[in-house]
Amino acid sequence: MGFQTNRTTIYIAAAVILIAIIAAALYIATRQAPETVETETETAAETTPATKTEAQMVELKPLTGNVREDIVNIARYLSANGVTEAKYRVHGSGDPNSIMRVYGIVEAAARLNKILEEEGVNFKIVIEDIKFSANADEPAKVFQQSFPLKQEADIIAVSYRWISTFAKEGYLLDITDYANAYMGSELEDYYDSLWSSVTYKGRIYALPQDTEARPLYILKPVMECLGYDAWDIAAKIDSGEYTWKDVMRIAKEAVDKGCSEWGVIHRKGSAHPDLVQFYYAFGGEFTGSDPDKLYLNLEALYKWLAVEYALARNGLTPENMLEWDWAKQIHPTIVSAKTAFDIGGTWYWTEWQTKKYYTDPQTGEQRGLTPEEVKERFAYSLFPAGEPGKSPVTLSQPFVWMISANAGKLNPKYDDLKEAYHRIAFLLILKANDPDLVAIHSIVSAHIPIREKAALLMDDQEFVGKLAQGNLDMFVSDEAREAFVEIAKKTAHPINIEFLKNVTYMLEYTHIPPLHPSYQPLAEFFKDAVDFVLKGQMTPEEATNYVVQKIRADPELAETIEIVGSIPSGWQISP
Amino acid sequence: MSGNPLEEVVSGSISRRLKIVIALALLLAGSPIILTYGLLILSSFSTNMVTDPLLTDFQPTLDNWIMFLRGQITYATGGLERNVVEMTLVTLTVAVGVALTATLVSLLAAYSISRMEFKGRGVFTAGLIMLHAFPGVALIIGVYMIFRIIGDVLGVLGEEFYAIAYIILARAALEVPMAIWLFKGFFDKIPWELEWSALVDGASRVRVWWSILVPLVKPGIAAVLIFTFLAGWEEFIYFYVFLKPFGIDSLPTFIEEIVAAAENYQLTIIAAAGTFYLLPTIVFFVLTQRLLLEAYSGGLKG
């Protein structure tokens, strides 16, 4: 028996080794012939010898703010230096519908190539190794690891919050001068509020890619049960007439009368940075006179925690809210109208349609809501002002296009010609934000457009109609067009587009959490404090002092965070 | 009869009834693990995740496997597929590389320790066990620095093949101490006389090692090959640190990525990915469990 087993094992081991050697050979063979995404016709990368005279005749002129002129000049300059092709790699991430975060660059390259073809310039931009990850932070983590090895993607689409980390390390291309050249043209209609998300220590390190807002959803069935008009409440919140005290009052009324099980459901622990809207709603700011410091307003923090405390003590919000599960508790509670209000995000609107959170009372089937059902069920407003005299707010954490400080490194004569390669990378992210591409991305992924021209296109019935039919003749790149056909057919519903248009105004009220290295640890303290007050383990005052103590216990945070104001005496809030 | 239940179990002198009781107790103790893996495998063949042991959620389909093998992890990726074949090849290459390297090195080292007298042999042998105690992650900073230094000196830091070769060597180094100990056990049991007679006949030390001793420890070689293959197959941290920067995924790093973003993926396809990754481990263990258990409990007879 022992001998048989041993011999069998040796055979198995030998077979595995043989298979693996073949596999290794195959792998090496496949890696030697990497797949390349050609934006137009496919040709091999090549450099051609150029005479010194030719190179001297074409000089790299400053950017003009006109894409056609600039790309032609750069291409002629590179061509005169013997380079006829430039390669770039891109890595994007997000939900499956957010593939514009890579195909935007593929399409941008095709559009630039088309210009060059029209102008008769012998030059081509090739996007190779496009990679898309569903984990939103994946490109940033990989970028961080691969930059020291000079293996990083040239362009990445990730959350803006990585900018401070990467800029500090010198990993990002400073595009301030390039952007300034286009401020009067292509970048003119970008929403002003978004520029702070790409600016670190006064320099621009990225372009916004998309953004979002975090509305307060108001459950119409619950308001009908109470005899209220949900849209009337939304209007009063937007105007500042209704503050958090009013929202709590209505929420309590809904629970007391049995119209809903809960008053206010909000984000859970993993999404805690969203709750900082309370801080802004009570007038808190993180910036001040010293740009290197983060400012913490104790009064705003205390009032935020006091609201959370009151919500939980009155049974309006679950004490363990931060531990609730998205799919089993949070969303099913909202879509089943078991809460009067929900603090959510704009992306919820389509998530409620694509994921099976709703249990049909007739059939017992778990399914997504239809667009019509979502519209019938929800009204929405800004996040209410904290108290009279304050403004309603919302919060955005934009996705951005970042360019590596080594962008274009795969190309010939990089050290001599890198300025030209960097400029092409900039023009790629600029063109990836063409209004039609931004509008398409917003519609299919339920994000808010980052520029006014894109928002206007979403009003264009012809454009939207074509999109819904899968007619994407605006794309130059076949590959990008094919990628979007099915997604566009499924998502370009008039109700969803109407919703996006309706919430775009929220960007005027948006706050963007600061790009400061000390903000992330501070946000963690906020989360702990919220958890303590929701569970009744601390009073708002104790939780506020807890945050202060945590800051003072860390020498770096104590140095970089300036605490301003004080806990207001005698201030209380209740439904 | 010794009266000791454990000895009775080992000696096989226990009654049939007791055997059944012990088997049932082990089955009960192992049931959470069996159930978890069973549900995972069933989910990979179902349209919904199977979370109910009564299988009320089970609706059979092969779609998950088809989509996973095509590299489609959701139903809407716009043609952006991941290369599962490449990931599998990378993982397999490293696993086999680790197995071969660790086996060869430890086979030579164990022979030396078992048969040759040299200064510091005792300390070295004892030190091997201490080395085995270090998990890969604890050494990662040092291992990364060596990776950078060697890569810089050889001018291959940005090369993919260097990263793969380095992972194989670094991971094999972690397996070598245990493998040496296993092989030393095998060599120690082979009588000196076998070797002496060949040496007296004029054979070299290497020839003796290769022609006489190695054939006698074949079961040990098989055991070490399997151990080290599985260690390479299950490796995560070195793949993540050294290969991910090249944009190359292995099965473990890919599964980590999709699990971290599970809300964006089709869970049943993730179940197929998990099952696929488990296959070699399950297959090897089922086929070789007796051999592995014997090898771990004191070596095999040659």
Side-chain angles (χ1 to χ4, degrees), chain A residues 295-473:
Chain A
Y295 290 78
L296 175 64
N297 182 323
L298 276 198
E299 184 181 339
L301 174 61
Y302 171 81
K303 288 178 177 176
W304 163 14
L305 297 173
V307 173
E308 298 268 16
Y309 187 76
L311 285 170
R313 299 289 78 70
N314 285 281
L316 305 180
T317 298
E319 290 189 352
N320 61 343
M321 182 74 246
L322 295 194
E323 287 144 28
W324 270 32
D325 183 86
W326 290 117
K328 291 178 184 159
Q329 292 172 288
I330 296 177
H331 286 296
T333 302
I334 302 165
V335 296
S336 306
K338 289 181 182 168
T339 179
F341 298 96
D342 167 58
I343 301 170
T346 48
W347 61 93
Y348 275 19
W349 190 266
T350 47
E351 188 172 348
W352 290 328
Q353 297 167 36
T354 54
K355 292 190 177 169
K356 296 175 182 177
Y357 294 140
Y358 181 63
T359 304
D360 194 317
Q362 308 293 326
T363 61
E365 179 203 4
Q366 280 195 319
R367 62 177 175 83
L369 295 173
T370 64
E372 290 78 11
E373 285 174 328
V374 175
K375 188 178 177 180
E376 280 168 18
R377 205 160 286 239
F378 295 99
Y380 40 84
S381 71
L382 289 159
F383 190 91
E387 55 192 337
K390 300 282 192 309
S391 295
V393 299
T394 193
L395 189 82
S396 299
Q397 301 194 65
F399 249 65
V400 299
W401 296 112
M402 295 179 196
I403 300 174
S404 162
N406 297 324
K409 62 193 168 300
L410 297 174
N411 297 297
K413 302 180 186 174
Y414 178 70
D415 289 337
D416 297 332
L417 304 173
K418 66 180 168 189
E419 174 62 20
Y421 291 130
H422 289 174
R423 289 184 187 186
I424 292 176
F426 172 74
L427 291 179
L428 281 170
I429 64 172
L430 188 77
K431 287 297 283 178
N433 278 352
D434 271 356
D436 56 338
L437 301 184
V438 172
I440 291 169
H441 171 69
S442 300
I443 289 167
V444 303
S445 70
H447 284 93
I448 297 180
I450 42 109
R451 58 189 299 187
E452 210 174 325
K453 283 177 185 165
L456 288 173
L457 261 183
M458 288 160 68
D459 266 333
D460 183 333
Q461 292 306 311
E462 192 187 338
F463 178 81
V464 172
K466 274 166 66 176
L467 202 60
Q469 290 163 12
N471 178 356
L472 299 169
D473 57 9

Side-chain angles (χ1 to χ4, degrees), chain A residues 113-127:
Chain A
N113 284 339
K114 192 178 174 194
I115 294 173
L116 295 173
E117 200 180 312
E118 287 165 2
E119 298 289 333
V121 183
N122 177 29
F123 188 84
K124 190 158 57 92
I125 303 163
V126 175
I127 308 300

Side-chain angles (χ1 to χ4, degrees), chain A residues 418-564:
Chain A
K418 66 180 168 189
E419 174 62 20
Y421 291 130
H422 289 174
R423 289 184 187 186
I424 292 176
F426 172 74
L427 291 179
L428 281 170
I429 64 172
L430 188 77
K431 287 297 283 178
N433 278 352
D434 271 356
D436 56 338
L437 301 184
V438 172
I440 291 169
H441 171 69
S442 300
I443 289 167
V444 303
S445 70
H447 284 93
I448 297 180
I450 42 109
R451 58 189 299 187
E452 210 174 325
K453 283 177 185 165
L456 288 173
L457 261 183
M458 288 160 68
D459 266 333
D460 183 333
Q461 292 306 311
E462 192 187 338
F463 178 81
V464 172
K466 274 166 66 176
L467 202 60
Q469 290 163 12
N471 178 356
L472 299 169
D473 57 9
M474 64 289 278
F475 278 95
V476 175
S477 157
D478 293 339
E479 192 191 3
R481 185 188 309 112
E482 282 163 20
F484 277 96
V485 170
E486 290 307 315
I487 299 176
K489 281 183 193 168
K490 282 181 190 164
T491 52
H493 193 286
I495 288 177
N496 298 342
I497 296 169
E498 181 192 15
F499 168 75
L500 288 172
K501 283 189 301 192
N502 289 347
V503 294
T504 301
Y505 79 97
M506 291 184 180
L507 289 183
E508 293 167 27
Y509 296 83
T510 203
H511 290 260
I512 294 173
L515 278 173
H516 192 290
S518 297
Y519 179 70
Q520 296 303 331
L522 183 62
E524 289 295 323
F525 301 155
F526 290 163
K527 181 190 75 171
D528 293 343
V530 169
D531 203 28
F532 290 143
V533 293
L534 281 173
K535 288 177 175 162
Q537 292 168 345
M538 286 187 186
T539 63
E541 186 169 355
E542 286 168 343
T544 308
N545 286 329
Y546 162 83
V547 173
V548 172
Q549 284 162 15
K550 290 292 279 184
I551 293 168
R552 289 185 177 150
D554 184 318
E556 194 176 334
L557 296 181
E559 179 71 23
T560 54
I561 300 176
E562 181 91 28
I563 296 169
V564 295

Side-chain angles (χ1 to χ4, degrees), chain A residues 167-225:
Chain A
K168 212 166 105 182
E169 293 296 325
Y171 287 6
L172 294 183
L173 187 66
D174 179 345
I175 59 169
T176 313
D177 295 339
Y178 305 157
N180 283 339
Y182 278 87
M183 283 299 178
S185 54
E186 296 285 332
L187 301 176
E188 195 177 17
D189 64 317
Y190 280 47
Y191 292 112
D192 287 339
S193 57
L194 298 175
W195 285 113
S196 66
S197 70
V198 292
T199 308
Y200 177 68
K201 293 193 171 177
R203 307 295 293 176
I204 299 172
Y205 286 97
L207 287 184
Q209 190 271 331
D210 72 13
T211 190
E212 75 299 301
R214 285 157 171 76
L216 181 78
Y217 288 104
I218 306 165
L219 273 293
K220 288 184 184 175
V222 178
M223 297 307 136
E224 278 165 23
C225 173

Side-chain angles (χ1 to χ4, degrees), chain A residues 50-66:
Chain A
T51 64
K52 196 177 175 182
T53 325
E54 278 176 332
Q56 281 176 336
M57 278 169 64
V58 183
E59 61 180 34
L60 195 61
K61 296 175 189 165
L63 292 177
T64 64
N66 180 311

